[in-house]
Amino acid sequence: MAHPKRRQSKSRKNKRRNHLKVQEPLLVKCPLTNKKHLYHHAYWKDNKLYYKGKILYNKEENIQ
């Protein structure tokens, strides 16, 4: 099996792991409802499904 000939320095290890970070989710505020939601995701408010500032689905209209 191959083994490293020399020990890798802390700076080399940290350069390799530099991009491994936890990112916070991208939140956007809706102009209609003023509610924060995930970017490019539909969300519910008051039994209505909103996406891109439009109502996609209304639960109250479909209940019989």
Side-chain angles (χ1 to χ4, degrees):
M1 273 178 58
H3 291 288
K5 199 167 196 177
R6 298 213 180 260
R7 180 181 173 170
Q8 229 178 28
S9 68
K10 293 175 189 173
S11 61
R12 277 189 69 180
K13 172 184 68 175
N14 293 337
K15 283 179 192 174
R16 185 179 70 248
R17 295 182 181 168
N18 187 27
H19 64 283
L20 299 176
K21 299 174 188 167
V22 175
Q23 296 178 350
E24 60 183 55
L26 184 61
L27 296 176
V28 188
K29 196 173 189 181
C30 178
L32 281 178
T33 60
N34 291 328
K35 182 180 176 184
K36 286 189 176 183
H37 61 93
L38 282 174
Y39 196 63
H40 288 294
H41 283 72
Y43 63 97
W44 289 97
K45 183 170 183 194
D46 301 329
N47 289 330
K48 295 177 184 174
L49 183 66
Y50 289 91
Y51 183 67
K52 291 188 178 179
K54 298 176 186 171
I55 299 173
L56 291 181
Y57 182 75
N58 193 348
K59 277 189 179 177
E60 294 167 355
E61 289 179 1
N62 295 326
I63 296 174
Q64 294 176 355

